[in-house]
Amino acid sequence: MNVKIVTFATELWKTMAKQAKKSPRKPEPKARKVRFAFFKSDKFRYTLAVTFMVLGVYMLIAFVSFLSSGAADQSKLDLPAGEFVGDATVKVQNSGGKTGAYLGEVLINQGFGLASFFFVFLFITTSLRLFGVKAIRFGKVLVFSVLLMFWMSTVLGMLFVDSESDQFLYLGGIYGLFFSSWLSAMLGTVGAMFALGLYAFVLAVAGISNFIPWMKNLFSKPPKPENENLDDVPEPAMAGGFTAPVQPVEDNAISKVITEEDHVKAVFDPDSFNDDDLEVENTISAKDIAMSIESRMKSDGRVAKEPEMEVEQNLNPEMHVEEPEADDEEYPNPPAEDYDPTLDLSSYKYPTIDLLDEHSSGNAEVSNEELISNKNKIVETLRHYKIEITKIRATIGPTITLYEIVPAPGIRIAKIKNLEDDIALSLAALGIRIIAPIPGRGTIGIEVPNQKPEVVSMRSIIGSKKFQESNAELPIALGKTISNETYMVDLAKMPHILVAGATGQGKSVGLNAIITSLLYKKHPSQLKFVLVDPKKVELTLYSTLEKHFLAKMPDEEEAIISDIQKVKNTLNSLTVEMDTRYDLLKKAHTRNIIEYNAKFISRRLNPEKGHRYLPYIVVIVDEFADLIMTAGKEVELPIARIAQLARAVGIHMIIATQRPSTNIITGVIKANFPARIAFKVASMIDSRTILDTPGANQLIGKGDMLISAGSAMTRVQCAFVDTPEVERVCQFIAEQKGYPTAFMLPDYVGDTEDGGGALDADLANRDEMFDDAARLVVLNQMGSTSMIQRKFAIGYNRAGRIMDQLEAAGVVGPSEGSKARQVLIQDEYTLEQLLNSL
């Protein structure tokens, strides 16, 4: 307390001195300096130190005297206070006089008993600290003294509870008697003793630094005699096959320290050496000790193996050492340096942050008037329905403000949840969202859109400390949360993302933000993209990255895939790549791509056995609904298979759609895409389809999104990256040296190109409506399955089989995705000749 007084006086003096410099009146600061100079000087500090020392010694004399003379002074202490203090004829036997007798009665008998001597200890300790004894840590001494005083008082009160009834002295004091009685009533006498013992043990562990080592030595086995150790230890082998004589060295003479980098150091204590020790130092140097330990660590596998040294040639020729047979997958003669996958493009430079724009929305801060107005309207609306709240606080985000309320006891949460529309009406807001309750906080959240939303630029996200210092395998920066924190995820852990949202709500910008994040963090050798764009205009900006970051099938002209047949072939090619990678992991005895690449980089895998560095592959599919409508199961099945198995081999999928209906996002897709991003959708049903809960229909659009990762739901404002920014980033990368070609996926030939599928249709078992369907197709010159289905009122599967038979017979051409098939026969006469020949 006194140290705090000195500190406060010093800071007050400094503050007043600064104000005096600014003031035009000069006499006043001088007066203040004189007034407070004493509190800063050593005179004041030493005066306090002497005062505390005198008080401590006086209290010690009074306490010791009370133990012997307290019984004789009890009759005097029972007198009224006025008579005891004012009557000079009242004499006490305490060496400290009436004050000493009173202190002994109050602090010992009516206080903590013999534990009150800790007050003496604290006064003397404080005095020594003020005198400048730095070895005393006043805070620690104060805390442990108080804790020990309570413990000692309770123990003495429990041990001498019976003997204190016929004595004037309460060894544990009134407080010790009270605490021990209460503890015994709660836990019993045995339980109270155990509790006090545990209390003492915790204090010893926390206050005595050598207590745990002492206990270890107490319960550990005694060390063996030094003579036995010296007789059993073999002489260490030196370079060249020689041995050095070993002489006894004191245990504290040399201590070896192994750091995290597996370097070995020798730490010498000069005071512990004698002449014999110095002779040992010349015989076996610290360097030799380090070499010996390091060679032992290498043999244990804790240090990377280096090329064979000449030491092996000096082994005793009579000794035959059988080396284990090398694994076929291991590198036959591993080079000294680790493999660096970035060496092919060693001059590659990561995109700079200057390529991105700082999108400023002007003064987008939420004013105090807006906060107070919204708060009053929320409280007023809830009171209309007789709902009282005890507390409300606001958290301002980029586009929304979260108002957290604590309802009064007895208020049902469902009652507040049903008032979303009423609160939105009173606030005149676009739409609010009520979170009842907020997980982990015990409050109810009301999210209200800001009148002036803030634009979150991609530049601010990329330049954030959280993104720059991220060590994630595939870091994705998506935007900012309600509390203005950068929201980041690791795609390698998610491991696949399903993105959904209505047209114009920021879905394409979100995909650009994901791709841009990865381009800013990963080297072309570490990451490849497979981009599927049925609309042909959304992802074409990245076509210039073909020789850096894109992957495609052999003989494909464009790396951005838009044709439906090529999409099916590419997805099946990815499943082949997945199976190939799993075979490599199996041969390398690794479980995932991280372990495999680490083993390959350390040159422990033989490239001649097919091993290679495996880059991550991120598959991005835009307009997934169009693929499902045109290809159906042919697209859904390989996507589901990749989503189920490809995580461990570094293949991750991001699919986006603007139609989150149940026939598009099927149960198979949802089960394998645990991470989902929902932008604003049209209805609550769509929100339940994508997130399994409502809420996405209440978003405000323009990048406002809900991210569901496991059981957590987070509202994030997506970072905005404009098309010119993406073009500049792609141009910056494309102008640098790239690979000769794009990353080649395994070749895969589709059914229509390999004589399978429709060409395998059995023309001998033609459908009953085959002839009629052929005439319908030739007459209308349009090969459409849906037309056959509609005209003949049959199911889609039967109409599809008829179309396959027409293709096998040469009436129509192969499938062209969503387009109608080309009709190969131009007139009915030719058709009749064909039918007759069949």
Side-chain angles (χ1 to χ4, degrees):
M1 179 63 70
N2 293 281
V3 176
K4 293 183 179 179
I5 293 175
V6 175
T7 306
F8 171 76
T10 305
E11 294 298 324
L12 181 62
W13 177 82
K14 292 181 179 179
T15 305
M16 297 178 68
K18 291 181 181 179
Q19 293 178 353
K21 291 181 180 179
K22 300 180 180 179
S23 175
R25 294 178 295 178
K26 296 183 179 179
E28 186 175 3
K30 291 183 179 179
R32 291 183 179 180
K33 287 183 179 179
V34 173
R35 187 181 305 168
F36 291 97
F38 176 76
F39 294 98
K40 185 182 178 182
S41 64
D42 291 337
K43 296 179 181 179
F44 178 71
R45 182 161 61 89
Y46 282 101
T47 302
L48 281 178
V50 172
T51 303
F52 277 103
M53 180 63 72
V54 170
L55 290 175
V57 174
Y58 174 80
M59 190 177 292
L60 177 62
I61 295 173
F63 283 0
V64 174
S65 180
F66 179 81
L67 296 179
S68 59
S69 62
D73 293 337
Q74 285 299 307
S75 59
K76 315 297 192 299
L77 292 171
D78 293 334
L79 295 174
E83 183 180 353
F84 177 76
V85 176
D87 192 353
T89 60
V90 177
K91 303 291 183 179
V92 295
Q93 297 183 14
N94 192 293
S95 301
K98 294 180 180 181
T99 303
Y102 180 78
L103 286 176
E105 176 66 15
V106 171
L107 294 180
I108 295 180
N109 264 356
Q110 300 180 19
F112 297 94
L114 295 181
S116 298
F117 277 86
F118 277 101
F119 288 111
V120 178
F121 174 74
L122 285 176
F123 273 93
I124 296 177
T125 303
T126 306
S127 175
L128 294 176
R129 186 67 183 89
L130 290 173
F131 274 123
V133 180
K134 297 183 179 180
I136 299 176
R137 298 173 59 185
F138 182 76
K140 185 176 181 180
V141 170
L142 176 62
V143 172
F144 279 91
S145 296
V146 174
L147 295 176
L148 283 171
M149 184 168 61
F150 277 92
W151 177 82
M152 183 177 178
S153 175
T154 307
V155 170
L156 292 175
M158 179 174 292
L159 294 177
F160 301 97
V161 63
D162 296 328
S163 62
E164 291 175 348
S165 58
D166 55 351
Q167 294 182 4
F168 84 96
L169 180 63
Y170 294 95
L171 296 179
I174 296 297
Y175 289 122
L177 183 62
F178 169 77
F179 288 134
S180 60
S181 300
W182 176 81
L183 200 60
S184 298
M186 294 297 296
L187 302 177
T189 304
V190 177
M193 294 176 63
F194 280 126
L196 291 172
L198 179 61
Y199 186 95
F201 178 82
V202 173
L203 286 180
V205 171
I208 304 175
S209 58
N210 296 327
F211 183 74
I212 295 299
W214 176 79
M215 290 195 64
K216 288 183 178 179
N217 295 332
L218 182 64
F219 294 100
S220 61
K221 296 181 179 180
K224 295 182 179 180
E226 293 184 0
N227 295 332
E228 293 182 12
N229 295 335
L230 293 175
D231 293 338
D232 297 336
V233 174
E235 297 180 349
M238 306 297 290
F242 298 103
T243 60
V246 178
Q247 299 184 12
V249 182
E250 294 180 3
D251 293 338
N252 59 352
I254 301 178
S255 59
K256 288 168 284 187
V257 180
I258 302 177
T259 64
E260 292 180 358
E261 294 81 13
D262 290 336
H263 296 300
V264 182
K265 301 178 181 179
V267 181
F268 297 95
D269 184 4
D271 297 333
S272 62
F273 272 93
N274 52 31
D275 295 337
D276 296 334
D277 295 330
L278 293 175
E279 186 177 355
V280 174
E281 182 183 4
N282 295 328
T283 306
I284 305 177
S285 64
K287 181 178 180 181
D288 297 331
I289 296 174
M291 292 176 60
S292 176
I293 297 176
E294 187 173 359
S295 62
R296 193 178 308 139
M297 293 173 63
K298 289 180 180 179
S299 64
D300 294 340
R302 287 178 284 172
V303 179
K305 296 182 179 179
E306 295 183 358
E308 304 294 335
M309 304 295 291
E310 295 181 357
V311 178
E312 294 186 356
Q313 299 176 4
N314 297 323
L315 292 174
N316 191 346
E318 298 178 359
M319 183 185 299
H320 177 68
V321 179
E322 292 185 1
E323 297 182 356
E325 185 177 354
D327 191 353
D328 292 340
E329 304 299 326
E330 297 290 336
Y331 220 116
N333 295 311
E337 297 181 358
D338 290 345
Y339 172 74
D340 186 1
T342 64
L343 282 181
D344 292 338
L345 298 180
S346 58
S347 60
Y348 175 80
K349 296 181 180 180
Y350 291 88
T352 61
I353 197 172
D354 298 334
L355 301 173
L356 302 175
D357 296 332
E358 185 65 52
H359 298 281
S360 177
S361 56
N363 187 14
E365 296 182 357
V366 179
S367 62
N368 289 332
E369 292 78 6
E370 181 180 349
L371 290 175
I372 296 174
S373 175
N374 289 340
K375 182 201 73 170
N376 293 335
K377 290 178 181 178
I378 292 173
V379 173
E380 182 180 357
T381 303
L382 294 176
R383 284 178 178 173
H384 286 165
Y385 295 92
K386 299 180 180 180
I387 298 176
E388 295 292 335
I389 62 175
T390 59
K391 184 180 179 181
I392 184 170
R393 63 185 297 267
T395 303
I396 303 174
T399 55
I400 63 170
T401 299
L402 174 64
Y403 294 88
E404 295 183 56
I405 64 174
V406 179
I411 301 298
R412 297 181 59 187
I413 294 178
K415 190 174 182 181
I416 301 177
K417 182 70 175 174
N418 294 331
L419 297 178
E420 281 183 342
D421 296 336
D422 300 276
I423 298 176
L425 179 63
S426 65
L427 297 176
L430 295 176
I432 68 168
R433 177 171 168 262
I434 295 182
I435 311 171
I438 298 178
R441 294 194 186 181
T443 59
I444 297 175
I446 302 177
E447 296 176 345
V448 181
N450 297 336
Q451 294 180 359
K452 297 179 180 179
E454 177 186 354
V455 177
V456 179
S457 64
M458 194 67 194
R459 177 169 180 161
S460 64
I461 301 299
I462 296 295
S464 65
K465 181 180 179 181
K466 187 174 183 180
F467 181 81
Q468 294 295 331
E469 297 180 356
S470 173
N471 295 323
E473 292 293 326
L474 294 175
I476 295 177
L478 293 172
K480 289 187 176 181
T481 62
I482 296 176
S483 56
N484 275 305
E485 297 178 356
T486 301
Y487 185 85
M488 282 187 56
V489 294
D490 187 0
L491 181 60
K493 296 180 180 179
M494 295 189 76
H496 312 288
I497 303 178
L498 178 61
V499 184
T503 304
Q505 302 304 322
K507 185 173 74 283
S508 298
V509 176
L511 293 179
N512 288 334
I514 292 174
I515 299 175
T516 303
S517 300
L518 296 173
L519 291 179
Y520 266 87
K521 267 291 187 181
K522 306 304 291 184
H523 190 273
S525 62
Q526 301 170 340
L527 174 66
K528 301 298 176 183
F529 289 101
V530 175
L531 303 180
V532 178
D533 183 16
K535 288 200 300 189
K536 304 180 182 180
V537 294
E538 292 292 344
L539 302 177
T540 53
L541 296 172
Y542 303 100
S543 59
T544 56
L545 305 179
E546 178 176 344
K547 295 183 179 181
H548 294 83
F549 283 99
L550 299 188
K552 65 177 184 179
M553 292 179 58
D555 301 328
E556 291 291 343
E557 296 180 0
E558 298 180 356
I560 310 297
I561 309 164
S562 56
D563 182 73
I564 186 63
Q565 185 60 44
K566 294 180 181 179
V567 171
K568 292 188 290 185
N569 293 343
T570 302
L571 292 175
N572 285 288
S573 175
L574 286 170
T575 61
V576 177
E577 172 73 12
M578 177 185 69
D579 295 335
T580 303
R581 291 189 172 198
Y582 268 115
D583 292 338
L584 293 177
L585 263 64
K586 178 182 177 182
K587 295 178 181 178
H589 306 290
T590 55
R591 298 176 56 189
N592 53 55
I593 187 174
I594 299 177
E595 297 177 3
Y596 179 88
N597 282 339
K599 207 169 183 179
F600 186 84
I601 289 175
S602 61
R603 300 192 183 267
R604 296 166 57 192
L605 298 177
N606 189 356
E608 296 180 359
K609 299 295 182 180
H611 292 287
R612 54 189 171 89
Y613 181 82
L614 301 180
Y616 285 94
I617 298 178
V618 178
V619 185
I620 299 180
V621 180
D622 194 15
E623 296 300 337
F624 178 68
D626 182 70
L627 298 181
I628 292 295
M629 291 176 60
T630 55
K633 295 293 183 181
E634 295 179 84
V635 170
E636 182 181 356
L637 293 180
I639 286 180
R641 189 162 182 263
I642 292 173
Q644 288 172 347
L645 302 174
R647 171 183 182 177
V649 293
I651 302 177
H652 306 276
M653 296 202 69
I654 302 173
I655 63 176
T657 179
Q658 61 181 0
R659 287 187 56 196
S661 55
T662 54
N663 61 331
I664 303 299
I665 304 178
T666 62
V668 177
I669 296 296
K670 289 178 65 175
N672 294 287
F673 283 78
R676 303 164 195 172
I677 298 177
F679 292 87
K680 182 176 176 60
V681 294
S683 65
M684 184 186 298
I685 297 177
D686 292 342
S687 177
R688 289 185 181 276
T689 302
I690 179 68
L691 297 175
D692 294 328
T693 183
N697 56 309
Q698 298 167 326
L699 301 176
I700 61 175
K702 295 184 179 180
D704 191 16
M705 60 184 178
L706 287 174
I707 301 177
S708 172
S711 59
M713 185 83 67
T714 308
R715 189 168 184 175
V716 178
Q717 176 61 38
C718 182
F720 177 70
V721 52
D722 205 359
T723 302
E725 300 175 70
V726 178
E727 290 178 346
R728 288 197 294 269
V729 173
C730 293
Q731 184 179 1
F732 178 86
I733 297 174
E735 289 176 351
Q736 302 184 53
K737 177 186 176 181
Y739 294 101
T741 61
F743 182 82
M744 292 299 170
L745 298 174
D747 196 7
Y748 180 85
V749 181
D751 293 338
T752 57
E753 299 179 285
D754 196 28
L759 299 182
D760 290 339
D762 187 6
L763 295 179
N765 297 320
R766 296 190 301 274
D767 193 275
E768 297 176 356
M769 296 184 178
F770 175 81
D771 295 350
D772 296 334
R775 296 186 181 94
L776 176 65
V777 168
V778 173
L779 181 63
N780 292 276
Q781 286 295 303
M782 182 175 65
S784 172
T785 304
S786 59
M787 182 183 67
I788 297 176
Q789 180 184 2
R790 185 174 61 256
K791 291 292 185 182
F792 297 106
I794 58 177
Y796 183 83
N797 293 336
R798 184 179 181 186
R801 287 195 299 270
I802 294 176
M803 186 60 69
D804 291 339
Q805 293 174 357
L806 292 174
E807 180 184 353
V811 179
V812 296
S815 173
E816 298 181 7
S818 58
K819 298 180 181 179
R821 296 176 184 241
Q822 180 182 2
V823 181
L824 303 179
I825 297 178
Q826 304 299 325
D827 53 67
E828 294 185 20
Y829 177 75
T830 308
L831 175 62
E832 294 298 332
Q833 288 183 332
L834 176 63
L835 294 177
N836 293 332
S837 63
L838 294 175

